């Protein structure tokens, strides 16, 4: 099929409207070449219904604000091509799972980021760190472990994919724990080992089932599962050292 | 404090799994071997009676299984039910399996 024919088709798009209580509303949207799901949502808002609420910023996969459920899976909509996911020309777009809905496709991320705080996912520089550069060996095991986990854009997709989050609302979740893992491996941090205690609680790393729903869906191909497994190992070592 | 408990339980879960894995295989292998000549109580008791090896093996098997099962049960109860005292239920489960299991071991050795 030529690109022209492809573009001439239309898409049937069901978009969630309302808050936690709401319903899907159907729209017909022209199908374009190289169209993203975010393009579809933007078309609806600009041409069909200006009251549609959604969130995005960079449109190039850097800011992490555009995540939504697309045909039942959490995805970054600005980098998700319609052609890859449309199910016979149909797309269902809903607000991100495991997040309270504000309106339509916009969710409240407050509790999600509060968990980063509760997990202690905050870099604490060493005294005098501003006076000189830290010499971090790029090939050290700790630096490699941090590198594997560091490219997180805070999109919340892993949090939406995680069943343990939906069962236990207190669970810190894959994103916050993944971030803590980078700090445990950050030799510039004032006390990397001190990051272990806040994540060793019953809502912390040990609640994870290692089933990798987070890793499968992370748009940056990170594996929070691997990071969490690292936290489990390190907390055990800290316990035996009497540091927990 | 709850953090330390979680880490101890994690360690106990891994340790009991490491004990269970070879024991389960040995148990299955023995079963397959044992049924070759037909399965009878006399034949089983002939092997286990007075045997420190089999008695010790199954006593260890039961200890590991009771710990492993109870920790798993605790996790399931906590995630799937609103039950508050999942730890207490799991502990009772562990003790019950231990008591029943060791009683059975005592009976065949
Ligand atoms: S591996 Fe752990 S954090 Fe990731 S989705 Fe599964 S339970 Fe959640
Ligand atoms: S780990 Fe991946 S899925 Fe989770 S918030 Fe970061 S970038 Fe998004
Ligand atoms: S709009 Fe920034 S990641 Fe999609």
């Amino acid at each position: 099929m030529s690109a022209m024919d492809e573009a001439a088709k239309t898409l049937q798009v069901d978009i969630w409207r309302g808050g936690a209580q709401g319903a899907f509303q159907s729209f017909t949207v022209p199908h374009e070449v190289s169209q993203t799901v975010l393009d579809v949502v933007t078309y609806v808002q600009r041409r069909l219904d200006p009251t549609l609420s959604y969130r995005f910023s960079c449109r190039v996969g850097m800011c992490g604000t555009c995540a939504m459920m697309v045909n039942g899976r959490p995805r970054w909509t600005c980098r998700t091509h319609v052609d890859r996911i449309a199910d016979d020309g149909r797309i269902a777009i809903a607000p991100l799972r495991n997040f309270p809905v504000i309106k339509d496709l916009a969710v409240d991320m407050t509790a999600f980021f509060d968990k980063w705080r509760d997990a202690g996912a905050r870099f604490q520089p060493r005294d005098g760190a501003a006076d000189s550069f830290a010499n971090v060996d790029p090939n050290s095991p700790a630096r490699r472990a941090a590198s594997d986990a560091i490219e997180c854009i805070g999109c919340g997709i892993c949090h939406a994919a995680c069943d343990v989050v939906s069962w236990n609302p207190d669970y810190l979740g894959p994103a916050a724990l993944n971030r803590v893992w980078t700090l445990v491996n950050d030799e510039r941090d004032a006390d990397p080992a001190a990051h272990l205690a806040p994540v060793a609680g019953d809502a912390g790393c040990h609640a994870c089932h290692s089933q990798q729903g987070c890793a499968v869906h992370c748009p940056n191909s990170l594996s929070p599962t691997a990071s969490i497994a690292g936290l489990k190992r390190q907390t055990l070592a800290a316990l035996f050292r009497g540091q927990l | 404090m709850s953090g330390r408990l979680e880490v101890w339980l994690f360690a106990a879960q891994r340790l009991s799994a490491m004990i269970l894995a070879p024991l389960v295989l040995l148990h299955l292998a023995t079963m397959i071997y044992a049924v070759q000549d037909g399965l009878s109580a006399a034949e089983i008791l002939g092997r286990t009676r007075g045997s420190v090896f089999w008695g010790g093996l199954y006593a260890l098997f039961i200890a590991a299984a009771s710990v492993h099962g109870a920790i798993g049960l605790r996790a399931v109860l906590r995630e799937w039910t609103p039950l508050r005292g999942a730890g207490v239920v799991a502990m009772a489960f562990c003790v019950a399996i231990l008591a029943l299991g060791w009683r059975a071991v005592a009976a065949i050795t």
Side-chain angles (χ1 to χ4, degrees):
Chain A
M1 196 184 290
S2 77
M4 289 275 292
D5 297 338
E6 190 76 19
K9 289 192 301 186
T10 57
L11 297 164
Q12 288 307 308
V13 186
D14 296 325
I15 296 182
W16 184 261
R17 304 304 304 268
Q21 307 299 320
F24 282 98
Q25 185 182 351
S26 295
F27 298 93
T28 304
V29 174
H31 183 201
E32 314 277 352
V33 176
S34 298
Q35 188 177 24
T36 66
V37 174
L38 186 63
D39 293 335
V40 169
V41 176
T42 300
Y43 179 92
V44 171
Q45 202 242 22
R46 302 234 167 121
R47 306 288 179 87
L48 305 178
D49 186 347
T51 67
L52 176 65
S53 301
Y54 67 111
R55 193 189 284 128
F56 74 98
S57 181
C58 71
R59 294 177 294 132
V60 291
M62 292 182 72
C63 71
T65 58
C66 66
M68 301 168 198
M69 302 301 292
V70 182
N71 284 354
R73 287 177 178 269
R75 295 187 183 276
W76 52 356
T77 54
C78 71
R79 299 282 306 267
T80 301
H81 282 259
V82 164
D83 292 336
R84 268 201 298 131
I85 52 84
D87 182 6
D88 202 16
R90 295 197 75 90
I91 310 175
I93 308 174
L96 211 48
R97 177 175 176 249
N98 292 339
F99 288 80
V101 185
I102 299 173
K103 177 177 172 287
D104 302 341
L105 301 172
V107 295
D108 186 352
M109 314 230 5
T110 311
F112 172 69
F113 285 115
D114 281 352
K115 287 181 176 182
W116 292 48
R117 179 201 58 206
D118 297 342
R122 184 158 167 256
F123 176 66
Q124 297 281 5
R126 265 185 280 119
D127 284 344
D131 303 334
S132 66
F133 287 106
N135 288 315
V136 180
D137 174 3
N139 291 316
S140 70
R143 172 67 236 202
R144 282 164 178 258
S147 295
D148 286 343
I150 206 129
E151 299 286 349
C152 171
I153 57 172
C155 63
I157 285 174
C158 52
H159 204 74
C162 178
D163 281 341
V164 177
V165 171
S166 55
W167 292 327
N168 178 3
D170 293 333
Y171 177 43
L172 293 169
L177 292 170
N178 180 71
R179 170 69 182 148
V180 169
W181 177 239
T182 64
L183 295 174
V184 168
N185 288 292
D186 192 339
E187 57 187 270
R188 302 165 309 150
D189 195 274
D191 189 358
H195 287 290
L196 292 170
V199 299
D202 53 12
C205 60
H206 297 96
C208 167
H209 288 212
S210 310
Q211 252 176 331
Q212 312 193 46
C214 51
V216 165
H217 291 92
C218 174
N220 277 344
S221 306
L222 305 186
S223 175
T225 318
S227 300
I228 294 168
L231 288 173
K232 289 177 181 172
R233 284 195 304 275
Q234 294 264 341
T235 48
L236 185 60
L239 180 75
F240 291 152
R241 284 196 307 265
Q243 287 178 336
L244 209 63
Chain B
M1 193 54 230
S2 113
R4 296 246 284 272
L5 174 65
E6 292 300 320
V7 186
W8 276 119
L9 290 177
F10 170 75
Q13 188 73 328
R14 298 302 135 131
L15 187 67
S16 56
M18 282 191 267
I19 295 170
L20 278 173
L23 290 187
V24 167
L25 291 177
L26 185 66
H27 175 67
L28 289 174
T30 312
M31 267 167 49
I32 291 164
Y33 164 78
V35 294
Q36 307 283 317
D37 316 323
L39 198 56
S40 76
E43 193 258 350
I44 293 172
L45 288 175
R47 186 168 51 250
T48 59
R49 271 273 145 81
S51 163
V52 178
F53 174 76
W54 288 110
L57 202 83
Y58 278 107
L60 183 65
F61 195 135
I62 283 150
S66 64
V67 169
H68 197 80
I71 296 173
L73 179 68
R74 173 178 175 270
V76 171
L77 289 176
R78 281 157 63 113
E79 280 169 14
W80 290 63
T81 70
L83 197 73
R84 283 269 126 220
V88 178
V89 175
M91 191 75 95
F93 178 79
C94 178
V95 171
I97 297 293
L98 266 184
L100 291 171
W102 280 349
R103 188 167 146 258
V105 173
I108 59 156
T109 48

